[in-house]
């Protein structure tokens, strides 16, 4: 009798846990299925990224006077010529002309258009560019820096760092939907980054408990049938 009462209690807990975690489990299954059903290369828009132009070392010079210790200097190709992207020891980032060794001012709208068109290899046309101040960039840019957002007519967005002219991200319409699905999957619908959050952990624990109770009940039921 004691075992029967315990199994009955387990069965009730299993039903209640099923009601509690049923919707999250369905959401995990639907979002996970959508994400794995799409080729990740297509989602990332790798076919829409233009290659980098080769640089002639004879035309490159390093800035003669940066004025402060630096952590890193990278040579990149940009539409207006090669540039050094310099990261200072304090984390600040700037760019210098690799032809003249002089500091280059922040990106303006016309240059943002040229950078976006050079980075994009698709057939759509550029619909427009918008400046986003620091801390106000859309979530899919994944940065707090000031950026230029370039929008193409096929839904592609290109994000360009205002200070360095680097292409920080190329986002397709599929990527934005994928990112939204991922945010639901990890239960972080705002930032789409923190999988270690209390909601995901709590529902995962409840789902494990519900599944464990189901396995216990199934095993006991099969054992009772064998005896009968």
């Amino acid at each position: 009798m004691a075992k029967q009462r315990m199994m009955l209690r387990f069965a009730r807990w299993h039903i209640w846990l099923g009601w509690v975690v049923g919707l999250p489990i369905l959401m995990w299954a639907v979002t996970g299925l959508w994400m794995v059903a799409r080729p990740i290369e297509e989602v990332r828009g790798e076919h829409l990224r233009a290659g980098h132009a080769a640089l002639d070392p004879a035309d490159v010079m390093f800035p003669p006077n940066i004025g402060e210790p630096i952590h890193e200097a990278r040579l990149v190709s940009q539409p207006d010529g090669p540039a050094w992207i310099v990261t200072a020891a304090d984390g600040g980032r700037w760019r210098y002309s690799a032809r003249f060794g002089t500091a280059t001012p922040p990106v303006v709208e016309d240059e943002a258009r040229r950078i976006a068109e050079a980075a994009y290899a698709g057939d759509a046309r550029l619909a427009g560019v918008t400046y986003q101040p620091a801390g106000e960039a859309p979530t899919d840019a994944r940065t707090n820096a000031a950026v230029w957002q370039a929008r193409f007519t096929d839904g592609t967005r290109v994000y360009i760092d205002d200070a360095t002219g680097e292409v920080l991200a190329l986002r397709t319409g599929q990527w934005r939907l994928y990112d939204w699905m991922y945010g639901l999957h990890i239960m972080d619908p705002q930032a789409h980054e923190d999988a270690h959050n209390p909601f995901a952990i709590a529902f995962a624990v409840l789902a494990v408990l519900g599944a464990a109770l189901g396995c216990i009940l199934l095993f006991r039921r099969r054992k009772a049938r064998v005896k009968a």
Side-chain angles (χ1 to χ4, degrees), residues 62-110:
F62 194 77
N65 184 21
I66 294 179
E68 61 179 295
I70 67 172
H71 177 70
E72 180 185 61
R74 293 191 300 108
L75 181 63
V76 300
S77 175
Q78 295 188 342
D80 291 348
W84 289 101
I85 307 299
V86 173
T87 303
D90 62 0
R93 303 178 76 243
W94 303 274
R95 64 174 174 165
Y96 291 80
S97 169
R99 288 180 177 169
F100 309 107
T102 55
T104 304
V107 177
V108 295
E109 182 176 347
D110 288 343

Side-chain angles (χ1 to χ4, degrees), residues 21-164:
V21 302
L23 183 58
I25 289 176
L26 178 62
M27 181 184 67
W28 287 334
V30 171
T31 55
L33 175 61
W34 194 94
M35 288 188 291
V36 300
R38 300 280 179 172
I40 192 62
E41 295 81 9
E42 179 181 329
V43 172
R44 290 173 178 167
E46 294 182 5
H47 60 294
L48 298 177
R49 295 177 181 269
H52 298 288
L55 297 173
D56 185 355
D59 296 333
V60 172
M61 68 174 296
F62 194 77
N65 184 21
I66 294 179
E68 61 179 295
I70 67 172
H71 177 70
E72 180 185 61
R74 293 191 300 108
L75 181 63
V76 300
S77 175
Q78 295 188 342
D80 291 348
W84 289 101
I85 307 299
V86 173
T87 303
D90 62 0
R93 303 178 76 243
W94 303 274
R95 64 174 174 165
Y96 291 80
S97 169
R99 288 180 177 169
F100 309 107
T102 55
T104 304
V107 177
V108 295
E109 182 176 347
D110 288 343
E111 185 182 8
R113 287 178 174 273
R114 293 194 298 273
I115 294 173
E117 289 175 336
Y120 176 75
D123 298 325
R125 64 180 180 82
L126 180 63
V129 296
T130 305
Y131 177 74
Q132 307 285 346
E136 298 183 17
T139 304
D140 58 347
R142 291 294 195 274
T143 182
N144 290 320
V147 298
W148 287 91
Q149 181 198 69
R151 303 175 305 281
F152 289 84
T153 54
D154 64 352
T156 301
R157 296 176 184 173
V158 177
Y159 291 97
I160 302 160
D161 189 282
D162 173 62
T164 65

Side-chain angles (χ1 to χ4, degrees), residues 117-211:
E117 289 175 336
Y120 176 75
D123 298 325
R125 64 180 180 82
L126 180 63
V129 296
T130 305
Y131 177 74
Q132 307 285 346
E136 298 183 17
T139 304
D140 58 347
R142 291 294 195 274
T143 182
N144 290 320
V147 298
W148 287 91
Q149 181 198 69
R151 303 175 305 281
F152 289 84
T153 54
D154 64 352
T156 301
R157 296 176 184 173
V158 177
Y159 291 97
I160 302 160
D161 189 282
D162 173 62
T164 65
E166 293 175 286
V167 175
L168 300 178
L170 185 151
R171 306 304 192 196
T172 64
Q174 285 194 55
W175 192 96
R176 292 193 295 277
L177 180 56
Y178 182 99
D179 191 41
W180 182 74
M181 290 281 190
Y182 179 74
L184 290 179
H185 194 74
I186 66 172
M187 295 189 170
D188 182 19
Q190 293 185 337
H192 304 177
E193 289 184 344
D194 185 15
H196 184 70
N197 65 75
F199 294 105
I201 294 172
F203 279 110
V205 169
L206 292 176
V208 170
L209 290 176

